[in-house]
Amino acid sequence: MLSVREGVTIKNVGPFDIGRLARLHRSCFDDAWSRTDLAHLLSLPGGFGLIARLYDRRLTGFEGLRGVGFALCRVVGDEAELLSIGVAPTYRRRDVGATLLRASMQRCEAAGGKAMFLEVAVDNLSAQHLYRRFGFKEVGRREGYYQRSDGTRMSAYTMRSTLGAGVASPESLYAGQA
């Protein structure tokens, strides 16, 4: 199994990545955001995206870089929000999510963020585990926050972490199951 130590890199989302980002978002979520939604978010003050790319040795040049995950954030004043994070299904449990979360937290802190907030579905236990490893704690609950493809609604926890203080050590990232 590949890990981030074997070729995954994190880069800023640029204008040529919007299509790749939209495809990744669609592969991760039933209620995927459109290219227009993503472009709008990235154009907002303090908005940014990161994309995880894996080099595929079977291909050459730019074609060898596959988008395998993403994170979308916004920093306003001293508060940051993780708006969306996802890893393509075939690349999950390979430390890609942990690497993206760490890079997002660092970028938000560098932009002046002191705390980061996020929402996570109450039934998404693997994501909750990852967030707790990075110092996130539940601070609220939003009833019926997510709408599922079958029309049902799922509640979400609001979680918060202090930036700079809750980031797990590199050793703990590779010992776990991100």
Side-chain angles (χ1 to χ4, degrees), residues 8-171:
V8 171
T9 59
I10 306 294
K11 75 172 215 71
N12 292 322
V13 170
F16 296 110
D17 293 314
I18 299 296
R20 177 179 287 136
L21 183 58
R23 286 188 298 278
L24 275 168
H25 203 276
R26 197 170 33 255
S27 76
C28 295
F29 301 105
D30 291 336
D31 57 342
W33 297 345
S34 70
R35 290 171 66 127
T36 303
D37 294 335
L38 294 165
H40 174 71
L41 171 85
L42 294 170
S43 71
L44 293 174
F48 70 91
L50 300 175
I51 192 161
R53 299 191 316 183
L54 174 68
Y55 182 71
D56 185 338
R57 291 175 183 86
R58 296 171 296 174
L59 303 172
T60 60
F62 187 70
E63 292 299 315
L65 291 173
R66 297 191 179 277
V68 297
F70 66 91
L72 301 168
C73 301
R74 186 163 185 219
V75 180
V76 177
D78 64 355
E79 290 188 354
E81 184 176 9
L82 179 66
L83 300 167
S84 188
I85 187 170
V87 176
T90 56
Y91 294 96
R92 292 179 182 159
R93 298 215 164 290
R94 299 181 189 193
D95 293 327
V96 176
T99 301
L100 280 162
L101 183 56
R102 172 183 288 286
S104 296
M105 292 175 81
Q106 290 170 341
R107 170 94 181 261
C108 288
E109 183 179 12
K114 304 258 187 264
M116 179 179 263
F117 294 86
L118 60 83
E119 280 84 26
V120 60
V122 297
D123 63 347
N124 191 344
L125 301 179
S126 61
Q128 291 171 39
H129 176 75
L130 172 66
Y131 299 143
R132 285 188 185 98
R133 284 177 45 210
F134 281 82
F136 283 88
K137 303 211 180 321
E138 293 170 26
V139 295
R141 182 178 170 116
R142 296 179 184 236
E143 297 299 326
Y145 186 74
Y146 293 108
Q147 182 168 340
R148 299 287 166 87
S149 60
D150 65 2
T152 61
R153 310 254 344 150
M154 178 58 60
S155 296
Y157 294 123
T158 299
M159 300 183 84
R160 177 192 185 278
S161 181
T162 301
L163 293 174
V167 180
S169 69
E171 296 76 28

